[in-house]
Every structure is written in C-alpha cells, then in structure tokens.
Amino acid sequence: MPRRRFLRIFGASTAAVAGGLWRTARRSAAVPANLTLAFWNGLTGPDGRVMEGIVADFMSQHPTIKIEQQQLPWTDFHTKMLMSIPAGQAPDVAIMHTYEKPRYVQSGALTEFSDADLQALGFQQKDFAPRAWDGGIYQGKRYSVPLDIHAMCLYINNPLFKSANLWVDNEPKAPRNQAEFLAACQALTKGDHWGVAWLQRGVGWAFQMLLWQNGGDMFDAQGEPTLDSPAAIEAMQFIQDLNKKYHVTPEGITGNPAEAFQTGKIGMAVHGDWLTPAFVAANMDFTVVPAPTFFKQRAVWAGSHQFYLPVQRRPDSAKREAALVFIKWISEHSLAWAQGGHIPARTALTATPGFRARKQAVLLTDGSYWHFMPAVPKILVEESLITAAQEQIFLGRATPKEALRSLNDQIKRARI
Amino acid sequence: MTPSVIVRPIDAVPPAARRAMIAVQRREAWSAYALLAPYLVAFLAFMVVPSSYGLFLSFTDFRLGIAHPHWTGLSNFAYVLTDPLFRTTVTNTIVFVLESTPALIVIPLALAVVLNQRLPFRAFFRGAFFLPFTLSVTVVSICWWWLLDPNFGPVYFYLKELGLHPRSWISTPALAMAAVVIATVWWTAGYNMVLFLAGLQEIPFHLYEAARIDGAGGWRQFWTVTLPLLRPTTLFVIVIQLIASFQVFGQVYVMTNGGPGNGTRTVIQYVYETAFVQLQMSEGAAAAWVLFVMILAFSLAQFKLLSGHTEY
C-alpha cells in the first residue's frame, strides 16, 4: 500500500474511533428517560438465540429501555468481566452461574441485592426452586437472583435404540444404572456406531457427576481439592474403561459429542439439557431421560443461570431501577426461556402445561438430587485444567490415578 | 601507558564553524525526536509503563481488588519455576520455535528470490503472498481448523480419497502442533517475504553482473552473492521471527486450546490463564518476565552467532 494512502486510511480510522469515543461519552450524559443497559452473558449455544428473542420482546414493550446484549464464550466472558469492572466498564446486568461468585466477590466486583431490590423485583423464596434460590447467596450475602436450572441428562437416539432391540412398549429402555448403561452401550456398538462418547471438551461436568454419585467431592470444607481420592480415581477409571476395556466409545478425542450424537454416530450422550433445542431444530427423533446413577448414590450435575448487578464506577440509580425492571420481566417470562432447554427457576412456571410439554420436563423429578458446582475460589483452577487432565488419560499418557494426582497437586499449589 | 584521548572530528574545526555545526546537529536531533515522538509516546504508554508495572507486580502478592499489594520477593518466580505445567509449556514453546522458525526463514526467502525476478504478474503474486498477514489470527485459525477438521475438512477428505487414513490431528499432540505450525507459516510467511524483498533490492546489481562474467550460474550467484549480502536482513528476520514464535498464542488458543492433554499449551497461554483465568495476577506477571528473559537470551545468542560486517 502506498504510504500516503496508508496514512490517509490510518488518519481516517483514528478520527472515526475518536469520534466514536466522543459520541459515547456524550450519550452517557444524555437524558435519563431513554436509557441503554449493557447486558452481558456467555449464552453462545442455541439458548443464546432464545435470549435474543426474549430481549427483543422486552424492548418492544419497554420503548424507553434499550438493551445492548453481548454474548461470548464463558471463559472469555469471565476474563472480560473481571477486567472491565475495575476499569469502570462494567455491564449493567450480567448472567452467570452460581459457583463463580468467589472470584468476583474477592475482587469486589459485585453489588448486593438489598431487601428493597428484592421487593422491587417481587421475588420471594417460596416462588423459586430452593437450590436455585439458595445459590444466589455467598457468605451470607445475596449477590444474584435465579433465572433457571439446567441439569445433566441422558440423550437417547430412538432409531438406534430400536435397531439395537432396546425398545419396549413404544419407548426406549432407558438405562438407570451402570450395568444397564454398559449393556445398552454394548448393544449399540456396531461397526462405525458407538454406544456413547464421553464429554471431552468442556470442563468435565460428567466426571464431576460420577464423582458425586460415587460419594466423593471436588473440594473439602477448607476449599482444598480432593480430586485424588479413591472415589475420584474410580470414577475416572470408569470413563477410561468405556474406551479401553469395553470399547464402546470412539477411539481418541472426539471433539464434540453433541455433534456425534446429532449425526447418529453414538446412541447415547450424557450431557446438559441445553443441547435439546439443537437436536429439536435438527428434526432428530430422540428422547430425554434423567441421567443414570452410575455408582452408589443418586446425584445429578446441575447449575443455575443467575442475574448479577456488577459494581459500577458511577452508580446510576435510574439504570439500576431499569435493570431490576428487566430482570423481573425476564423472570416472569421465563417460560419462553425453557425453549433454550432449561428449567425455569420459578416453580409456578414448571407446573404449566407449556413447560410440561417440553422434553426436559422429565428432569424435574431429579429436583432433590441436583448438585451444583461448589462456590470455592479454586474451582476456577480446576475448570481451566480438568480438560487437559482427562485428555492425558485418553491419550494414554497418564493413568487416571497419575492424571488426577497431578491435577490435584496443581490446584493445591495455586494461591487463590 | 598514556591514557588515550578520543578526538572527535568536531574538536578539529574552528569555533565559529563548530557552533554552526552544533546548531545544525541540534536541529536535526530535534526533528528526529519530533518524528519519533508519536511512536515513542505509544511505546512508553503501552509497552514500557505496563511492562515495568508488571515487573513490579511480579514481586508482590497483587490480586484484583487489592489496593496495596505486599512485597513478596522472589516467591512468584519460585512458584512459576517449580510448576510442572510451566515447564511443559516452555518445552512446547521451544518445539514450536524450532519447527516454525526455519520454515519462516526458508520459505519467505525462496518466495522473495523468485518474486525478485522479472516475472509476469509479479505484483499480484507479491500481494497474494502478503495478503494472509493482514487477516486476524482468529480468522486464520478458524479457517485452518475447518480445513483440517478430521470429519468435515477437505484435507482429510482428500487424504482418505487417496487411500490414506491419517490419525486425527486433534487427538495426536505432535500433529496438533504441526497443524498450528502450518497455519502460522501460511499466515506470516508473507511478512518475512517483504523484508527479504527489501533486502534483495539493496544488493548492488553490478555484483551479479560481475559474478555472471566470472561464469557463475543461478545457484552459484545465490550462494556467493545473494546469501552473504543478505546477512543483515537474515539476521534481522531471524531475530524478530524468534521473538514472534516465542510469543505464539492466538493460533494455539483457537485451534487446540492447548490440547490435546497440554500437548500444545505454550508459555503465553500459561501467562494468560494464570493471570486472567485463574486470577493469579502476580504469578502470571512473573511468568511473563521469565519468558522475556528467555527471549532476550535467545536474541543475544543470535546476534553473537550471526552478526559481523557485511563486505561489499
């Protein structure tokens, strides 16, 4: 590019950026009647599109409140959030889970919901699923209010179950324990088709569920990791055995089990209910059932999306009020949110025929077994390292015991 | 032995002329500073100040939301240097440097030599090879990820058509690293090519004429004229390439996210995740400075090995 043209383009873009900055600076000082709320979340799956629709409906009914939504993958989302809040660039409303609170509270990034706020929202404990309601509280303070619950389940490919003779009385013979699960896997594994693909990219939620079912936990009461316990090793050994001993999962790291399930390569998937809309959109013939109990006790991995109000450099009461209006409206309309595969946190909504008609409605029976990820500071280290530890095992570079021991050491030595 | 006195040329001229010369020199110096100023301001604000602050933080227990961090001496450096994961990332980074740097010297040099000839559509090819460099790392990585996808990508499709059944690069650490290297070479080779082209155009044409008269053919001219005279450019390209390769991050983060099983996790990813995902800010800063010292050592070694005067 000739230098002069480069300079011209460079100059023009600098002026454009400066102009943009000047305009935003002016806009934030503008009239309070029409205001804009920045709304950030990590809903990048099919549920993200459902949220877009809900936000559009909200704006059409509230012409004075404009919502600017930003969606980015959870890992990048948290980095951006944690850097933006101290820089005075915090969003007005955010959706996160329950277990991330320690990292935000430690850095003083969250505002509390006062009793007055809860009153403005009209939120009362009795209206919400207990686990979701309690998940908003950390160290005795309420930092978030619930939107939904999302739980792990078992996805069944109906045609593959039929051809494997796993079909009785017009419904799939859903495995409920380890033995039945293995038998189903073996019946489904034929040639290029497999029983299951284990969740390998992601944060190891399925492994966590097995750990809880086996009576173990990820952290002790002091928040130190206990991932090298016999219960954890046994759970991880089971995942490895699916491949190395029973040969019911594809070889190597398959990348995306959701894709493998959707293309009919695997007969079952142990995954989150949020994949439901993708499979529905693909016109799949499938069934959702509660996740099996692989070990000695029932426990189901679950989480909850919650609304947060981050700390603002210049607190603006009009914006906060508008944010509460927004949260209240979405919560009241969260039956629409169930299209995203989730379970509304409002118990009145889960009793409606509209929700009962959804595939994930069968998961409500698990309510008392829902197990959330613990809100301890070191969980973020666990999250960032568990995938690599699992992959080491799948690559045959480490035994479950070795991989879990080094993962545990790694989390233990972290200084947070 | 008498102490030697350095006699500058300016000391040898009469005072009036000397004053005039000093004035001219000063004016030139000021205009040089004025021209450098915009870059210098950006360099100070976005490089020197933050990295010095990072150096300070690496000796403290700084965390987000802590206003007054405490001095902790070398504890963060001890944490990083005794971390087995850090050692893994150093090894992976060195593997990447050793795999990518030679390719990013040889291929751009070959392209530059070819495109320095009088060829039809020369400007088009120069532009075409440089073009990938103008893309963002995310775009490049996602394109290559799709191209190389073992299930849907064309590369695996045609390899299978040829009767080959290559292992999935996503689940083979060495192949995953190779995939990252291929994407990087495609992305950045054009930039080094431009540097080599500039170097080639500085070589006086009469040297080639002389070589031809002495009966040197194409290869011979390349080895005895081009390569020796390109030495300053080559040194420059090797050093900046080495520095760039040591800082590999975006391609790995998008294509493999450090996997499989930490097989492609590099030092910058370690720095990023320690500081910004695990929120161990001061440990991350320490790791970044360890990387800086490594790069500095490698660059100095390169200068020592390759520098020297170029004789025309």
Side-chain angles (χ1 to χ4, degrees), chain B:
Chain B
M1 199 178 132
T2 48
S4 61
V5 177
I6 301 161
V7 181
R8 291 198 209 107
I10 198 159
D11 293 330
V13 295
R18 197 195 299 174
R19 269 196 300 278
M21 270 176 79
I22 289 172
V24 168
Q25 276 183 352
R26 275 213 191 120
R27 251 200 318 272
E28 280 178 355
W30 277 114
S31 55
Y33 285 128
L35 286 170
L36 281 173
Y39 174 73
L40 212 59
V41 168
F43 181 70
L44 280 172
F46 297 112
M47 291 293 291
V48 177
V49 172
S51 39
S52 316
Y53 189 57
L55 182 62
F56 162 70
L57 292 184
S58 68
F59 291 100
T60 69
D61 60 355
F62 175 76
R63 291 290 181 268
L64 275 180
I66 291 181
H68 304 288
H70 302 99
W71 190 261
T72 54
L74 292 169
S75 130
N76 294 322
F77 290 92
Y79 175 88
V80 167
L81 293 173
T82 54
D83 188 344
L85 183 59
F86 182 71
R87 270 173 273 161
T88 306
T89 62
V90 169
T91 313
N92 290 340
T93 307
I94 291 175
V95 167
F96 177 81
V97 170
L98 293 179
E99 286 183 9
S100 66
T101 312
L104 281 167
I105 304 299
V106 174
I107 294 171
L109 178 61
L111 289 174
V113 169
V114 170
L115 293 177
N116 202 34
Q117 319 288 323
R118 282 177 213 288
L119 292 175
F121 305 112
R122 186 171 72 167
F124 167 78
F125 282 115
R126 283 183 183 177
F129 284 116
F130 183 74
L131 208 59
F133 187 71
T134 61
L135 298 174
S136 88
V137 63
T138 322
V139 172
V140 171
S141 308
I142 291 175
C143 286
W144 277 95
W145 187 33
W146 281 342
L147 281 173
L148 294 171
D149 186 288
N151 295 318
F152 313 106
V155 172
Y156 273 74
F157 175 80
Y158 287 113
L159 286 175
K160 277 176 203 159
E161 292 283 292
L162 289 171
L164 298 166
H165 290 278
R167 301 188 61 173
S168 156
W169 66 274
I170 296 171
S171 49
T172 317
L175 288 181
M177 186 61 98
V180 173
V181 170
I182 290 170
T184 310
V185 170
W186 181 83
W187 181 37
T188 60
Y191 181 74
N192 290 354
M193 176 195 76
V194 169
L195 295 175
F196 277 123
L197 270 173
L200 286 174
Q201 279 158 16
E202 270 180 22
I203 300 174
F205 188 67
H206 65 81
L207 293 176
Y208 287 106
E209 279 180 327
R212 253 198 305 268
I213 290 164
D214 287 345
W219 265 116
R220 185 79 203 207
Q221 287 177 35
F222 175 76
W223 285 109
T224 54
V225 181
T226 310
L227 216 49
L229 293 181
L230 258 186
R231 201 151 96 161
T233 312
T234 313
L235 171 66
F236 176 70
V237 174
I238 291 177
V239 170
I240 62 159
Q241 187 53 55
L242 215 68
I243 293 171
S245 289
F246 264 108
Q247 300 186 61
V248 56
F249 174 56
Q251 307 93 296
V252 181
Y253 193 65
V254 176
M255 288 177 72
T256 68
N257 195 16
N262 289 330
T264 58
R265 203 172 282 242
T266 61
V267 177
I268 295 283
Q269 192 179 354
Y270 177 90
V271 170
Y272 173 74
E273 294 192 331
T274 305
F276 296 109
V277 178
Q278 303 177 1
L279 300 179
Q280 306 190 76
M281 294 282 174
S282 48
E283 287 82 352
W289 275 91
V290 172
L291 177 65
F292 171 78
V293 171
M294 275 169 51
I295 294 176
L296 188 69
F298 266 87
S299 306
L300 289 178
Q302 288 296 328
F303 272 115
K304 264 244 144 56
L305 283 172
L306 288 169
S307 63
H309 289 290
T310 307
E311 303 284 347
Y312 283 86

Side-chain angles (χ1 to χ4, degrees), chain A residues 324-356:
Chain A
L324 293 173
V325 170
F326 177 61
I327 294 170
K328 181 179 160 74
W329 192 90
I330 293 194
S331 173
E332 283 165 359
H333 293 76
S334 57
L335 191 57
W337 178 235
Q339 283 173 50
H342 307 292
I343 301 165
R346 279 181 182 273
T347 44
L349 293 177
T350 54
T352 59
F355 179 73
R356 293 287 167 175

